[in-house]
């Protein structure tokens, strides 16, 4: 798997998401400011609700822009076996049932699933519980995460 190709796919997907959010922001702003939506009484809240929605969309657009900036600055490095798993690693984990999953550890804001050839790759942040648990691990190490009362254990099969 090519890390730089995965990085470009993340940036492409974030750009698509930003276009959608900006379109939703424009529509919410137009609804909030349209003359037909001026409140005539205290129960007429369509304009106010649209303004709240526009504010939320603006925050989401800014979060996507920040994620894009982080991903543009990100330079995945080759795996260094002396340091273990670090940001930029491609990791293959296997669970107790023998189910494998491929992960690409990247900066914040890129949590998504991508295809690399025919292989499904989950992009996760080092801030995600599984991302934090993998940092510093080596091939053959166990990775344990807990979500509420549920505990999951994985083995690191391969790191690139």
């Amino acid at each position: 798997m090519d890390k730089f190709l995965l990085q470009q796919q993340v940036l492409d997907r974030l750009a698509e998401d930003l276009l959608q959010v900006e379109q939703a922001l424009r529509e919410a702003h137009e609804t909030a400011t349209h003359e037909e939506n001026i409140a005539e009484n205290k129960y007429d809240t369509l304009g106010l609700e649209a303004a709240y929605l526009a504010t939320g969309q603006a925050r989401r657009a800014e979060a996507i822009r920040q994620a894009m900036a982080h991903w543009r600055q990100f330079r995945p490095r080759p795996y260094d076996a002396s340091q273990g798993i670090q940001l930029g690693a491609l990791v293959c984990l296997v669970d107790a049932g023998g189910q494998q999953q491929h992960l690409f550890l990247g900066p914040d804001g890129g949590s998504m699933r991508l295809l690399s050839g025919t292989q499904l790759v989950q992009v996760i942040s080092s801030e995600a519980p599984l991302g934090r648990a993998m940092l510093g691990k080596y091939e053959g190490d166990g990775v344990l995460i807990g979500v509420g009362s549920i505990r999951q254990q994985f083995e690191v099969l391969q790191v690139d």
Side-chain angles (χ1 to χ4, degrees), residues 72-85:
R72 281 189 194 108
Q73 294 171 356
F74 178 52
R75 300 292 177 256
R77 294 181 302 236
Y79 173 63
D80 181 351
S82 68
Q83 293 185 1
I85 296 172

Side-chain angles (χ1 to χ4, degrees), residues 2 6 31 33-34 67 75 95 97-99:
D2 184 340
L6 288 171
T31 301
T33 58
H34 195 276
R75 300 292 177 256
D95 65 17
Q99 190 74 15

Side-chain angles (χ1 to χ4, degrees), residues 53 63 69-70 91 97 108 117 120 128 144 152 157:
L53 181 59
H70 291 143
V91 182
D108 286 344
L120 187 64
L144 180 66
Q152 290 182 300
L157 281 184

Side-chain angles (χ1 to χ4, degrees), residues 16-157:
E16 290 172 17
D17 290 351
L18 182 59
L19 286 175
Q20 290 176 356
V21 168
E22 286 175 338
Q23 177 61 33
L25 170 60
R26 281 190 296 277
E27 290 173 9
H29 184 266
E30 288 171 10
T31 301
T33 58
H34 195 276
E35 65 185 41
E36 290 181 4
N37 294 328
I38 295 173
E40 295 175 4
N41 60 51
K42 68 180 182 178
Y43 302 108
D44 194 1
T45 62
L46 181 62
L48 180 62
E49 291 168 7
Y52 284 133
L53 181 59
T55 300
Q57 296 291 6
R59 286 186 185 133
R60 177 72 181 126
E62 182 56 31
I64 293 171
R65 284 187 200 96
Q66 287 178 3
M68 290 176 75
H70 291 143
W71 276 91
R72 281 189 194 108
Q73 294 171 356
F74 178 52
R75 300 292 177 256
R77 294 181 302 236
Y79 173 63
D80 181 351
S82 68
Q83 293 185 1
I85 296 172
Q86 299 296 318
L87 197 63
L90 279 166
V91 182
C92 179
L93 297 179
V94 63
D95 65 17
Q99 190 74 15
Q100 291 184 14
Q101 60 179 311
H102 296 270
L103 305 163
F104 181 41
L105 195 57
D108 286 344
S111 180
M112 60 186 69
R113 290 178 188 229
L114 303 172
L115 277 177
S116 178
T118 60
Q119 188 64 56
L120 187 64
V121 178
Q122 176 69 47
V123 180
I124 64 170
S125 161
S126 60
E127 297 301 314
L130 183 55
R132 275 195 309 268
M134 287 190 311
L135 288 174
K137 300 287 185 181
Y138 302 92
E139 289 182 4
D141 282 354
V143 177
L144 180 66
I145 61 167
V147 179
S149 63
I150 298 171
R151 302 280 179 241
Q152 290 182 300
Q153 186 164 348
F154 303 93
E155 180 185 342
V156 178
L157 281 184

